[in-house]
Amino acid sequence: MATRFSVPAGTKGARAGAKGVPGLELELERLRPQLTGYCYRMLGSWFEAEDAVQETMVRAWRRSSTLTERAALKSWLYRIATNVCLDALKGTKRRARPMDLGPSSTAESALGGLPENVWIEPVPDVRVLTSGADPADVAADRETIRLAFVTALQHLPPRQRAVLVLRTVLHWSAAEVADLLETTVASVNSALQRARATLDAVQPSEDLTALGDGDRELVERYVDCFERYDVDALVALLHEDATFQMPPMELWLRGPEQIAAFYRGQGAACRGSRVVPTTANGSPAFGAYKPDADDPELFRPWSIAVLEIAGGRIVGIHNFLDTRLFAEFGLPSELRGARTAQLAPL
């Protein structure tokens, strides 16, 4: 887990502020959520994005004497972050969801796993959405951290990925992006056109729009059904083509029948779980806790579950079996005698 930025030990001018850039440390922290969101879209990994932002902050501080105008700070910082991400992506394979790597499984399929660096990882909304920003901007930002969108981005070559995110997500001009990437406006426009064509071909058709009151009720019903482990009632909330995924397991399922069979079979170990709501990737999410085998009052973390909703039905259930994520989401390391907390705002 990356730490929050602190001035590198021994850096000249550390407490007084870098020459010509007073208050640089505070300004870097103010931009952290935006930078983290950018690096997450580029890398598809929460942990790698955190590391990339930390490296960006350290490089920025050490090179602060080269920044001549405070007004240029943001573009200068994004140039550093882009180079960090492009370096990190050299020689790596694209991250994906289980459903992007092969045909669907059955509920009885073996739960074979793959390494952590294969999968798209979830991102805590609170860490990448700017607090106090215009609601319309926040809604737009949520759309571009959806799991499906971030997965689609991974199909793009790294520089195309940077162009698309900077132009269409962060709304930089073609001239600004050309300057950052040290290329021409014509090259940026061509890369953007190719990137859009690729996204049109790989993005799903589900309309994962902003959630309304009816969707919130749907989420509440899902929580109730899951905690009571009423499988029939739970799968009645699903779309007929709903998918169920569980990274790092390769297994993924399609349709209520297979999902129900899994809950009653291999997935029955999660019976009796309690959940603590949060939000991830612009969607409702939960930290799920299993009862301890030796202490019925103790619940231990096992999964961050992200729900995707469209048309008044749940279209995707993504269970991420990486308990390191609980600390990143600010979730407790265990529950004792606890029931579900109030749903987080959507």
Side-chain angles (χ1 to χ4, degrees):
M1 173 181 170
T3 58
R4 307 300 282 178
F5 173 69
S6 60
V7 177
T11 302
K12 186 178 180 180
R15 293 305 166 199
K19 184 178 179 180
V21 195
L24 177 61
E25 187 175 354
L26 292 176
E27 189 70 7
L28 294 180
E29 279 302 318
R30 184 184 69 82
L31 291 170
R32 180 181 285 271
Q34 299 173 49
L35 276 174
T36 306
Y38 174 63
C39 292
Y40 173 71
R41 294 178 182 97
M42 287 290 293
L43 301 172
S45 161
W46 165 251
F47 294 109
E48 289 185 6
E50 277 271 84
D51 288 343
V53 171
Q54 184 68 11
E55 176 63 19
T56 297
M57 298 297 192
V58 171
R59 290 188 192 183
W61 185 266
R62 288 176 174 163
R63 300 174 188 174
S64 58
S65 61
T66 68
L67 179 64
T68 57
E69 298 181 15
R70 184 62 168 267
L73 172 63
K74 188 172 182 178
S75 59
W76 176 73
L77 202 57
Y78 271 89
R79 182 191 298 271
I80 297 173
T82 299
N83 287 332
V84 170
C85 289
L86 293 178
D87 287 345
L89 289 167
K90 288 179 180 177
T92 64
K93 295 182 179 180
R94 71 177 177 91
R95 288 178 175 266
R97 300 168 298 178
M99 66 183 292
D100 301 307
L101 297 180
S104 61
S105 312
T106 67
E108 294 78 27
S109 297
L111 300 179
L114 290 175
E116 173 275 330
N117 62 1
V118 172
W119 308 114
I120 294 290
E121 295 171 353
V123 64
D125 283 10
V126 70
R127 303 286 287 275
V128 296
L129 300 179
T130 305
S131 176
D134 183 273
D137 291 338
V138 172
D141 286 346
R142 280 198 177 104
E143 294 305 310
T144 60
I145 58 171
R146 300 284 194 194
L147 287 168
F149 182 77
V150 175
T151 301
L153 287 176
Q154 309 312 302
H155 287 266
L156 303 177
R159 285 177 68 87
Q160 276 189 31
R161 202 179 305 173
V163 167
L164 185 131
V165 174
L166 290 167
R167 290 283 286 117
T168 66
V169 177
L170 301 179
H171 308 296
W172 286 36
S173 70
E176 289 171 325
V177 177
D179 180 64
L180 183 148
L181 293 175
E182 298 180 342
T183 187
T184 65
V185 169
S187 177
V188 167
N189 289 335
S190 176
L192 180 60
Q193 185 177 15
R194 295 195 303 274
R196 283 174 166 164
T198 299
L199 288 195
D200 287 344
V202 301
Q203 283 195 94
S205 59
E206 291 95 345
D207 182 18
L208 302 178
T209 54
L211 302 181
D213 291 341
D215 295 321
R216 184 178 179 84
E217 181 183 351
L218 176 64
V219 172
E220 291 172 342
R221 289 165 61 196
Y222 173 88
V223 168
D224 176 64
C225 293
F226 180 72
E227 289 203 328
R228 291 188 293 105
Y229 216 70
D230 185 337
V231 174
D232 288 337
L234 189 152
V235 298
L237 307 176
L238 305 181
H239 187 276
E240 61 182 6
D241 290 323
T243 59
F244 176 96
Q245 302 174 75
M246 200 166 55
M249 305 303 177
E250 295 178 80
L251 171 142
W252 73 275
L253 307 171
R254 183 183 296 279
E257 182 177 344
Q258 284 297 319
I259 295 172
F262 180 81
Y263 276 127
R264 293 189 174 104
Q266 296 188 81
C270 64
R271 183 189 296 272
S273 293
R274 297 289 177 263
V275 303
V276 177
T278 183
T279 54
N281 295 86
S283 301
F286 312 94
Y289 297 75
K290 285 183 181 179
D292 184 84
D294 300 319
D295 183 349
E297 291 296 307
L298 179 63
F299 297 83
R300 299 191 181 278
W302 67 274
S303 169
I304 298 290
V306 182
L307 301 183
E308 293 179 322
I309 295 174
R313 283 287 184 270
I314 294 170
V315 298
I317 302 173
H318 304 263
N319 288 291
F320 295 91
L321 308 184
D322 186 344
T323 56
R324 296 177 303 164
L325 290 165
F326 280 71
E328 304 297 326
F329 277 80
L331 294 170
S333 59
E334 62 181 36
L335 301 178
R336 181 166 288 279
R339 298 294 298 179
T340 298
Q342 183 177 1
L343 284 174
L346 301 178

mmCIF file of all heavy atoms in Angstrom, residues 22-42:
data_model
loop_
_atom_site.group_PDB
_atom_site.id
_atom_site.type_symbol
_atom_site.label_atom_id
_atom_site.label_comp_id
_atom_site.label_asym_id
_atom_site.label_seq_id
_atom_site.Cartn_x
_atom_site.Cartn_y
_atom_site.Cartn_z
ATOM 1 N N PRO A 22 5.947 28.258 -3.522
ATOM 2 C CA PRO A 22 5.515 28.144 -2.124
ATOM 3 C C PRO A 22 4.252 27.299 -2.007
ATOM 4 O O PRO A 22 3.367 27.354 -2.852
ATOM 5 C CB PRO A 22 5.255 29.599 -1.721
ATOM 6 C CG PRO A 22 4.988 30.318 -3.013
ATOM 7 C CD PRO A 22 5.846 29.635 -4.039
ATOM 8 N N GLY A 23 4.198 26.486 -0.951
ATOM 9 C CA GLY A 23 3.016 25.660 -0.720
ATOM 10 C C GLY A 23 2.856 24.521 -1.698
ATOM 11 O O GLY A 23 1.745 24.007 -1.879
ATOM 12 N N LEU A 24 3.958 24.093 -2.333
ATOM 13 C CA LEU A 24 3.860 23.049 -3.350
ATOM 14 C C LEU A 24 3.286 21.753 -2.778
ATOM 15 O O LEU A 24 2.471 21.090 -3.417
ATOM 16 C CB LEU A 24 5.234 22.774 -3.964
ATOM 17 C CG LEU A 24 5.289 21.637 -4.993
ATOM 18 C CD1 LEU A 24 4.383 21.946 -6.181
ATOM 19 C CD2 LEU A 24 6.722 21.392 -5.455
ATOM 20 N N GLU A 25 3.697 21.374 -1.567
ATOM 21 C CA GLU A 25 3.230 20.113 -0.991
ATOM 22 C C GLU A 25 1.707 20.087 -0.871
ATOM 23 O O GLU A 25 1.058 19.087 -1.210
ATOM 24 C CB GLU A 25 3.876 19.900 0.375
ATOM 25 C CG GLU A 25 3.585 18.531 0.981
ATOM 26 C CD GLU A 25 4.343 18.294 2.271
ATOM 27 O OE1 GLU A 25 5.184 19.138 2.648
ATOM 28 O OE2 GLU A 25 4.085 17.256 2.912
ATOM 29 N N LEU A 26 1.109 21.191 -0.417
ATOM 30 C CA LEU A 26 -0.350 21.262 -0.304
ATOM 31 C C LEU A 26 -1.014 21.204 -1.670
ATOM 32 O O LEU A 26 -2.068 20.591 -1.847
ATOM 33 C CB LEU A 26 -0.751 22.546 0.428
ATOM 34 C CG LEU A 26 -0.385 22.620 1.910
ATOM 35 C CD1 LEU A 26 -0.762 23.985 2.488
ATOM 36 C CD2 LEU A 26 -1.076 21.516 2.697
ATOM 37 N N GLU A 27 -0.397 21.851 -2.651
ATOM 38 C CA GLU A 27 -0.968 21.846 -4.004
ATOM 39 C C GLU A 27 -0.918 20.451 -4.610
ATOM 40 O O GLU A 27 -1.869 20.008 -5.264
ATOM 41 C CB GLU A 27 -0.207 22.830 -4.893
ATOM 42 C CG GLU A 27 -0.843 23.072 -6.244
ATOM 43 C CD GLU A 27 -2.144 23.860 -6.165
ATOM 44 O OE1 GLU A 27 -2.503 24.345 -5.069
ATOM 45 O OE2 GLU A 27 -2.811 23.992 -7.201
ATOM 46 N N LEU A 28 0.164 19.730 -4.368
ATOM 47 C CA LEU A 28 0.256 18.358 -4.863
ATOM 48 C C LEU A 28 -0.820 17.481 -4.243
ATOM 49 O O LEU A 28 -1.453 16.665 -4.926
ATOM 50 C CB LEU A 28 1.642 17.785 -4.564
ATOM 51 C CG LEU A 28 2.837 18.429 -5.284
ATOM 52 C CD1 LEU A 28 4.131 17.734 -4.866
ATOM 53 C CD2 LEU A 28 2.667 18.406 -6.778
ATOM 54 N N GLU A 29 -1.055 17.632 -2.949
ATOM 55 C CA GLU A 29 -2.085 16.841 -2.286
ATOM 56 C C GLU A 29 -3.479 17.204 -2.801
ATOM 57 O O GLU A 29 -4.349 16.333 -2.919
ATOM 58 C CB GLU A 29 -2.012 17.024 -0.772
ATOM 59 C CG GLU A 29 -0.937 16.180 -0.101
ATOM 60 C CD GLU A 29 -1.127 14.690 -0.367
ATOM 61 O OE1 GLU A 29 -2.271 14.207 -0.326
ATOM 62 O OE2 GLU A 29 -0.126 14.017 -0.635
ATOM 63 N N ARG A 30 -3.699 18.464 -3.116
ATOM 64 C CA ARG A 30 -5.006 18.884 -3.643
ATOM 65 C C ARG A 30 -5.305 18.187 -4.972
ATOM 66 O O ARG A 30 -6.462 17.854 -5.274
ATOM 67 C CB ARG A 30 -5.029 20.400 -3.837
ATOM 68 C CG ARG A 30 -6.386 20.958 -4.283
ATOM 69 C CD ARG A 30 -6.332 22.444 -4.544
ATOM 70 N NE ARG A 30 -5.540 22.753 -5.724
ATOM 71 C CZ ARG A 30 -6.010 22.682 -6.970
ATOM 72 N NH1 ARG A 30 -7.259 22.262 -7.188
ATOM 73 N NH2 ARG A 30 -5.246 22.990 -7.990
ATOM 74 N N LEU A 31 -4.276 17.958 -5.762
ATOM 75 C CA LEU A 31 -4.452 17.338 -7.073
ATOM 76 C C LEU A 31 -4.410 15.806 -7.020
ATOM 77 O O LEU A 31 -4.620 15.154 -8.035
ATOM 78 C CB LEU A 31 -3.374 17.839 -8.030
ATOM 79 C CG LEU A 31 -3.478 19.315 -8.433
ATOM 80 C CD1 LEU A 31 -2.232 19.755 -9.188
ATOM 81 C CD2 LEU A 31 -4.717 19.558 -9.274
ATOM 82 N N ARG A 32 -4.147 15.244 -5.844
ATOM 83 C CA ARG A 32 -3.985 13.790 -5.743
ATOM 84 C C ARG A 32 -5.194 13.003 -6.260
ATOM 85 O O ARG A 32 -5.017 12.044 -7.032
ATOM 86 C CB ARG A 32 -3.668 13.374 -4.306
ATOM 87 C CG ARG A 32 -3.500 11.865 -4.134
ATOM 88 C CD ARG A 32 -3.218 11.477 -2.698
ATOM 89 N NE ARG A 32 -1.864 11.789 -2.318
ATOM 90 C CZ ARG A 32 -0.839 10.956 -2.476
ATOM 91 N NH1 ARG A 32 -1.031 9.767 -3.026
ATOM 92 N NH2 ARG A 32 0.366 11.304 -2.084
ATOM 93 N N PRO A 33 -6.453 13.325 -5.883
ATOM 94 C CA PRO A 33 -7.568 12.506 -6.389
ATOM 95 C C PRO A 33 -7.646 12.482 -7.917
ATOM 96 O O PRO A 33 -7.875 11.418 -8.510
ATOM 97 C CB PRO A 33 -8.804 13.185 -5.770
ATOM 98 C CG PRO A 33 -8.289 13.877 -4.553
ATOM 99 C CD PRO A 33 -6.919 14.354 -4.921
ATOM 100 N N GLN A 34 -7.469 13.642 -8.555
ATOM 101 C CA GLN A 34 -7.519 13.679 -10.023
ATOM 102 C C GLN A 34 -6.396 12.843 -10.632
ATOM 103 O O GLN A 34 -6.610 12.098 -11.595
ATOM 104 C CB GLN A 34 -7.395 15.124 -10.503
ATOM 105 C CG GLN A 34 -8.504 16.055 -10.015
ATOM 106 C CD GLN A 34 -8.204 17.491 -10.385
ATOM 107 O OE1 GLN A 34 -7.874 17.805 -11.515
ATOM 108 N NE2 GLN A 34 -8.312 18.386 -9.409
ATOM 109 N N LEU A 35 -5.197 12.983 -10.089
ATOM 110 C CA LEU A 35 -4.064 12.224 -10.603
ATOM 111 C C LEU A 35 -4.256 10.728 -10.398
ATOM 112 O O LEU A 35 -3.928 9.915 -11.270
ATOM 113 C CB LEU A 35 -2.779 12.663 -9.904
ATOM 114 C CG LEU A 35 -2.072 13.899 -10.451
ATOM 115 C CD1 LEU A 35 -0.911 14.259 -9.541
ATOM 116 C CD2 LEU A 35 -1.587 13.677 -11.869
ATOM 117 N N THR A 36 -4.817 10.346 -9.248
ATOM 118 C CA THR A 36 -5.030 8.927 -8.978
ATOM 119 C C THR A 36 -6.051 8.350 -9.946
ATOM 120 O O THR A 36 -5.889 7.235 -10.462
ATOM 121 C CB THR A 36 -5.486 8.715 -7.526
ATOM 122 O OG1 THR A 36 -4.560 9.329 -6.634
ATOM 123 C CG2 THR A 36 -5.567 7.231 -7.196
ATOM 124 N N GLY A 37 -7.120 9.111 -10.219
ATOM 125 C CA GLY A 37 -8.097 8.662 -11.197
ATOM 126 C C GLY A 37 -7.487 8.499 -12.580
ATOM 127 O O GLY A 37 -7.784 7.535 -13.299
ATOM 128 N N TYR A 38 -6.622 9.425 -12.954
ATOM 129 C CA TYR A 38 -5.955 9.352 -14.249
ATOM 130 C C TYR A 38 -5.066 8.111 -14.321
ATOM 131 O O TYR A 38 -5.141 7.328 -15.282
ATOM 132 C CB TYR A 38 -5.125 10.614 -14.464
ATOM 133 C CG TYR A 38 -4.265 10.602 -15.704
ATOM 134 C CD1 TYR A 38 -4.831 10.536 -16.971
ATOM 135 C CD2 TYR A 38 -2.865 10.665 -15.606
ATOM 136 C CE1 TYR A 38 -4.036 10.526 -18.108
ATOM 137 C CE2 TYR A 38 -2.073 10.659 -16.739
ATOM 138 C CZ TYR A 38 -2.654 10.592 -17.985
ATOM 139 O OH TYR A 38 -1.877 10.587 -19.113
ATOM 140 N N CYS A 39 -4.241 7.904 -13.306
ATOM 141 C CA CYS A 39 -3.344 6.755 -13.299
ATOM 142 C C CYS A 39 -4.124 5.444 -13.234
ATOM 143 O O CYS A 39 -3.726 4.435 -13.846
ATOM 144 C CB CYS A 39 -2.364 6.856 -12.134
ATOM 145 S SG CYS A 39 -1.162 8.201 -12.290
ATOM 146 N N TYR A 40 -5.250 5.432 -12.517
ATOM 147 C CA TYR A 40 -6.068 4.221 -12.456
ATOM 148 C C TYR A 40 -6.627 3.883 -13.833
ATOM 149 O O TYR A 40 -6.610 2.709 -14.251
ATOM 150 C CB TYR A 40 -7.206 4.399 -11.457
ATOM 151 C CG TYR A 40 -8.182 3.240 -11.463
ATOM 152 C CD1 TYR A 40 -7.821 1.998 -10.952
ATOM 153 C CD2 TYR A 40 -9.460 3.384 -12.004
ATOM 154 C CE1 TYR A 40 -8.698 0.926 -10.976
ATOM 155 C CE2 TYR A 40 -10.348 2.317 -12.023
ATOM 156 C CZ TYR A 40 -9.969 1.095 -11.513
ATOM 157 O OH TYR A 40 -10.844 0.037 -11.553
ATOM 158 N N ARG A 41 -7.131 4.873 -14.557
ATOM 159 C CA ARG A 41 -7.652 4.606 -15.900
ATOM 160 C C ARG A 41 -6.538 4.110 -16.818
ATOM 161 O O ARG A 41 -6.764 3.260 -17.678
ATOM 162 C CB ARG A 41 -8.296 5.865 -16.467
ATOM 163 C CG ARG A 41 -9.553 6.313 -15.713
ATOM 164 C CD ARG A 41 -10.101 7.602 -16.310
ATOM 165 N NE ARG A 41 -11.267 8.093 -15.592
ATOM 166 C CZ ARG A 41 -11.244 9.031 -14.646
ATOM 167 N NH1 ARG A 41 -10.079 9.572 -14.279
ATOM 168 N NH2 ARG A 41 -12.350 9.417 -14.044
ATOM 169 N N MET A 42 -5.350 4.628 -16.639
ATOM 170 C CA MET A 42 -4.219 4.205 -17.462
ATOM 171 C C MET A 42 -3.779 2.774 -17.134
ATOM 172 O O MET A 42 -3.467 1.990 -18.036
ATOM 173 C CB MET A 42 -3.034 5.157 -17.256
ATOM 174 C CG MET A 42 -3.191 6.526 -17.904
ATOM 175 S SD MET A 42 -3.103 6.454 -19.711
ATOM 176 C CE MET A 42 -1.381 5.979 -19.953
#
